[in-house]
Amino acid sequence: MAGRIVEVEAYFGESDPSSHSYSGKTARNAVLFGPPGHAYVYFIYGMYYCLNVSCEPEGRAGGVLFRALEPIRGLELSTSGPGRLCKAFGITRDRDNGVDLTSPRSDLQIRDDGYVADDILITPRIGITKDTARPARFLLAGNPYVSGKRSSS
DNA sequence: AATACGATTGTCT
DNA sequence: GACAATCGTATTC
């Protein structure tokens, strides 16, 4: 399976009240404090997993949440929304938390396809209750696979 | 040990 | 637009 990332959100670690790492390192968020490029998978609302990649040097927290993909091949299921894309890829905490997303040998892999966008839209983040005005959600403007929409037209 | 809540989504009105 | 589903963590007792 493969998909192109079309929507992400940034979380800024210990300076960000909306970040899981705001209150320091715990067993749950330990990956965010580890080396960059690794998968932080968390379980939310009792039924969904969400995928992040750690982004700061080891010892500092920070990550990016993948919110939506545009299917490229092998994806029949919806990948619009952080819970849905994990469901489509079968991502779970047990299986994927902590894996190196830069390694060709890991099941999950993020690669640079050289794509450059000039139509990136920046908005506040979705689903949070603190720091709700901060512009930290990045998406491809007009892309039909971004989250937050119903399929009706 | 008990409780409150969340980086979501689907269904109903 | 409102709310239920559902459970791992963090917080509080």
Side-chain angles (χ1 to χ4, degrees):
Chain A
M1 299 196 279
R4 179 159 67 96
I5 297 163
V6 298
E7 178 184 350
V8 298
E9 280 176 1
Y11 287 87
F12 299 94
E14 295 175 283
S15 66
D16 181 356
S18 288
S19 169
H20 287 175
S21 43
Y22 181 56
S23 299
K25 185 175 179 177
T26 67
R28 178 200 190 198
N29 65 22
V31 174
L32 290 174
F33 289 82
H38 288 245
Y40 167 53
V41 179
Y42 65 88
F43 186 58
I44 191 66
Y45 295 119
M47 59 187 88
Y48 296 107
Y49 293 96
C50 295
L51 172 67
N52 302 244
V53 57
S54 57
C55 292
E56 296 286 337
E58 185 159 11
R60 277 221 318 270
V64 165
L65 167 69
F66 295 96
R67 292 195 55 89
L69 305 179
E70 175 180 331
I72 291 177
R73 66 164 193 274
L75 281 173
E76 312 259 324
L77 307 170
S78 171
T79 52
S80 298
R84 285 169 157 182
L85 76 85
C86 281
K87 190 177 174 186
F89 276 76
I91 294 169
T92 66
R93 185 182 201 280
D94 280 351
R95 208 193 61 155
D96 300 300
N97 191 51
V99 304
D100 182 358
L101 293 173
T102 68
S103 169
R105 293 186 310 288
S106 70
D107 287 343
L108 283 176
Q109 183 189 162
I110 297 173
R111 62 179 177 76
D112 178 6
D113 64 358
Y115 183 83
V116 176
D118 62 1
D119 54 354
I120 294 177
L121 184 64
I122 305 178
T123 77
R125 294 170 292 188
I126 291 178
I128 56 172
T129 58
K130 298 162 212 150
D131 206 359
T132 55
R134 184 173 193 159
R137 173 178 177 237
F138 305 81
L139 57 109
L140 293 182
N143 187 285
Y145 294 96
V146 299
S147 71
K149 294 177 179 166
R150 298 287 116 167
S151 52
S152 70
S153 55

